[in-house]
Amino acid sequence: EVGLVESGGGLVQPGGSLRLSCVVSGFTFGSYEMNWVRQAPEKGLEWVAYISSSGGTIQYADSVKGRFTISRDNAKSSLYLQMNSLRVDDTAVYYCLRVDWPWGQGTLVTVSS
Amino acid sequence: QAVLTQPSSLSASPGASASLTCTLRSGFNLGAYRIYWYQQKPGSPPRYLLRYRSDSDKQQGSGVPSRFSGSKDASANAWILFISGLQSEDEADYYCMTWHSSAYVFGAGTKVTVL
């Protein structure tokens, strides 16, 4: 399958952790900046995190700073999002994103007791 | 005040044209930014439409029809997504996005209804 394929979502209790993965094909992954974006049910799009092509520059939305960690493995054409201390309001579909490329299907994260 | 402001909804007839605006917060220079436009239909992930900074710095998404185009209105401090020859399949939510203060920011989206 060509494109972005996210995985790792699921149901987790508040305070729990999940690690999302995104495998990329169709372009030279190591040459591009990447992001994670999420969409809560019936809501708009929210940017979550950014990582430069080398991984040397990282930025987070205030809503996830200190709880989420973005990383990448260019040798594996893969992007990751480690999510700790999850809250109910983190419930959303999470997408990995190259800003000028077709989106993947996303992976659903549900935080609930 | 939000960084990017979009009207919540827009209605138009099939075959008509539609101009979707994305207004940058007052005090910031439109020319310093690159805007991205995405289309999202119910139950589907967003689709990349195009990128626009100026007429000489723009990119159409792969497979995106030329009836979708980008521009800007400096007097309104706003970017415009123009859709010509509206079709029923254009009924969707449209989001703008830009990089601002070390973060990407989305507009709240415009729901386009083709009557």
Side-chain angles (χ1 to χ4, degrees), chain A residues 33 35 37 39 43-47 50 59-60 95 97-106, chain B residues 36 38 40 43-48 51 59 61-62 95 97 99 102-108:
Chain A
E33 305 165 348
N35 301 269
V37 170
Q39 187 170 36
K43 298 294 185 182
L45 299 169
E46 179 188 14
W47 172 80
Y50 158 95
Q59 302 287 352
Y60 297 100
Y95 299 96
L97 175 65
R98 176 186 144 181
V99 295
D100 58 356
W101 196 254
W103 294 49
Q105 292 299 310
Chain B
Y36 298 85
Y38 302 97
Q40 187 176 31
S44 295
R47 175 194 186 192
Y48 169 62
R51 177 195 85 206
Q59 178 200 57
S62 177
Y95 295 92
M97 182 189 79
W99 182 256
S102 300
Y104 275 109
V105 178
F106 284 96

Side-chain angles (χ1 to χ4, degrees), chain A residues 66-106:
Chain A
R67 301 188 299 122
F68 290 12
T69 302
I70 189 172
S71 62
R72 65 190 298 160
D73 184 336
N74 287 345
K76 295 182 178 180
S77 294
S78 293
L79 181 71
Y80 306 102
L81 186 68
Q82 177 66 43
M83 304 187 297
N84 298 330
S85 303
L86 281 161
R87 309 189 299 222
V88 171
D89 62 359
D90 292 319
T91 295
V93 176
Y94 285 73
Y95 299 96
C96 65
L97 175 65
R98 176 186 144 181
V99 295
D100 58 356
W101 196 254
W103 294 49
Q105 292 299 310

Side-chain angles (χ1 to χ4, degrees), chain B residues 21 30 52 71-80:
Chain B
T21 59
L30 209 65
Y52 184 90
S71 66
K72 61 183 177 182
D73 181 350
S75 65
N77 212 38
W79 294 280
I80 298 169

